[in-house]
Amino acid sequence: DTGVSQNPRHKITKRGQNVTFRCDPISEHNRLYWYRQTLGQGPEFLTYFQNEAQLEKSRLLSDRFSAERPKGSFSTLEIQRTEQGDSAMYLCASSTKRGGNRGDIQYFGAGTRLSVL
Amino acid sequence: AQKVTQAQTEISVVEKEDVTLDCVYETRDTTYYLFWYKQPPSGELVFLIRRNSFDEQNEISGRYSWNFQKSTSSFNFTITASQVVDSAVYFCALVTVSFGNEKLTFGTGTRLTIIP
């Protein structure tokens, strides 16, 4: 299996601009997660997909954030009207082949580091 | 609500010394899983170990071992004969499986520096 792939690795943008990140999970994994990690902290859950359905969103995910997973494959995370407080590492993880067990290992990508100037 | 506490913010040891990373967790669920992940400077979280709430048997895997004690809600991780390549931030994490979404709750991490 190839690992979880995230693009771009780094993104620098000006405040107020829109940005979009992409995550390609491990093939056959039906669960996909987005997390956000700020400096000196552990990752925090943002949202979760089971196949193409977005089943849960954290309160951290304001109206400016939207995530999609069309056809249950890759996922995109868009941030509209970026703010300096959005600067963080955005991590994607995938887990669980169909018929898999609970508590499956989540495999993470290398993340997209966003800097909002 | 779930919570994971890693009280050690930073640890430095000399190469070849053993080092233990502490983790204390809180959950009301009876079924849960505990994980350790490593985050090297490259940024990618690397899975290390997993333990479920029904199995308190402690194990050793190579230079890694872990001590899971439900009575104290602790899940400590030990690296034996540390190496410079072990330098990274280590995260303890908890998953509860009550409602289908198996989101990870992470601690704040312990930065481990191995001094050559």
Side-chain angles (χ1 to χ4, degrees), chain A:
Chain A
D1 281 337
T2 57
V4 176
S5 176
Q6 291 189 247
N7 289 288
R9 290 294 310 278
H10 299 92
K11 179 70 176 179
I12 300 174
T13 190
K14 293 183 178 179
R15 188 177 54 188
Q17 298 294 305
N18 299 344
V19 294
T20 300
F21 311 140
R22 176 177 170 127
C23 171
D24 288 273
I26 294 172
S27 61
E28 299 180 342
H29 276 185
N30 58 10
R31 293 181 183 170
L32 187 147
Y33 299 82
W34 285 97
Y35 293 84
R36 181 170 69 185
Q37 185 179 21
T38 53
L39 203 60
Q41 300 297 314
E44 294 176 292
F45 168 77
L46 291 179
T47 190
Y48 156 65
F49 289 85
Q50 175 118 354
N51 300 311
E52 65 275 10
Q54 186 175 20
L55 297 185
E56 184 171 343
K57 294 194 294 184
S58 162
R59 283 174 290 181
L60 293 175
L61 218 62
S62 75
D63 292 343
R64 297 183 296 105
F65 288 70
S66 62
E68 295 182 342
R69 192 183 182 197
K71 302 179 183 178
S73 56
F74 70 92
S75 175
T76 58
L77 178 67
E78 181 182 16
I79 309 174
Q80 296 182 326
R81 305 181 304 281
T82 52
E83 301 174 355
Q84 288 185 327
D86 297 330
S87 296
M89 174 80 87
Y90 290 84
L91 294 162
C92 175
S94 72
S95 75
T96 315
K97 297 181 180 181
R98 293 182 191 279
N101 298 318
R102 298 187 297 181
D104 278 352
I105 299 163
Q106 291 185 26
Y107 294 94
F108 284 79
T112 295
R113 184 170 295 284
L114 173 65
S115 297
V116 182
L117 305 179

